[in-house]
Amino acid sequence: MKTLPFAAAALSLMLSGCVAPVGPVEVTRFHAPDTARLGRGVVSVEPAPGMAGDSLEWRTYAAAVGRQLTVLGYREQAAGTGDQVAYVRLQRQTYQPERNRNPVSVGVGGSTGSYGSGVGLGLGIDLSGPPPAVVETELAVTIKDRATGQALWEGRSSFTVTEKSPLANSQLGAAKMAEALFKGFPGNSGETIQVK
């Protein structure tokens, strides 16, 4: 019976290792002085001007934005309808960071003392390989009044993770970024925050 608590603790530790690491998401938001119209009415989620909305990746992020807008109190309808429109822009890029230091280092040391003197030479080789590729993602949303074109709210969220991180996956990343973007909606205009 003494092994049962130990087995439960070991299982708990193993399962906690499966949880996706959550890095900070940087969020910046701006809004019009009058926020009374935000979070109510009918809204449609559409690609921002110049943004193709037919990719699976864009649709994943747009769906995450739509879910958050619904949580805030909006009723989402098809593109081209609604009092307000949420324009979604997505930018993702993958790049290979450069190594910060030389993989080979040489050290020289010397000493003198009552028993003689000596010189030593040390050689260090970094075998860790190149740093992992990095995925940088930025999600921007602008909510406008459809009739006048007036911008009511704008927000931008971004994060950078390694290519092997679970958050590099569009479905996990989209949910995390949209949730961070609309946390505390409408937010303080002009303020940049870190959401963990």
Side-chain angles (χ1 to χ4, degrees):
M1 286 308 258
K2 290 183 179 181
T3 59
L4 188 59
F6 175 75
L11 180 62
S12 173
L13 281 173
M14 287 180 2
L15 289 176
S16 68
C18 297
V19 175
V22 177
V25 177
E26 186 175 281
V27 175
T28 305
R29 298 175 282 204
F30 299 92
H31 56 75
D34 181 15
T35 59
R37 295 180 54 206
L38 293 173
R40 60 178 52 179
V42 180
V43 69
S44 64
V45 177
E46 301 178 17
M51 184 87 206
D54 56 354
S55 75
L56 179 61
E57 190 171 55
W58 182 88
R59 289 194 309 261
T60 301
Y61 279 82
V65 167
R67 281 190 298 275
Q68 288 300 315
L69 291 173
T70 302
V71 168
L72 293 173
Y74 281 105
R75 290 186 325 274
E76 187 181 359
Q77 285 190 354
T81 63
D83 307 325
Q84 298 176 30
V85 58
Y87 290 113
V88 176
R89 177 176 304 282
L90 175 66
Q91 294 179 330
R92 283 173 56 91
Q93 64 178 355
T94 302
Y95 62 92
Q96 182 69 47
E98 294 183 14
R99 186 187 298 268
N100 289 338
R101 63 184 189 279
N102 192 331
V104 178
S105 61
V106 178
V108 178
S111 69
T112 59
S114 58
Y115 294 103
S117 63
V119 175
L121 180 68
L123 179 67
I125 300 175
D126 182 0
L127 301 174
S128 63
V134 169
V135 177
E136 190 174 76
T137 306
E138 181 177 286
L139 173 66
V141 177
T142 303
I143 300 175
K144 290 188 173 186
D145 178 273
R146 186 178 295 282
T148 66
Q150 176 193 8
L152 304 174
W153 185 89
E154 296 179 23
R156 179 176 65 246
S157 62
S158 62
F159 70 50
T160 303
V161 294
T162 64
E163 192 174 40
K164 293 183 179 181
S165 166
L167 287 176
N169 173 307
S170 289
Q171 289 184 333
L172 290 174
K176 170 72 175 160
M177 289 188 80
E179 182 182 344
L181 183 60
F182 292 104
K183 186 170 187 166
F185 181 81
N188 295 325
S189 190
E191 181 181 55
T192 298
I193 61 172
Q194 298 277 333
V195 179
K196 294 185 179 182

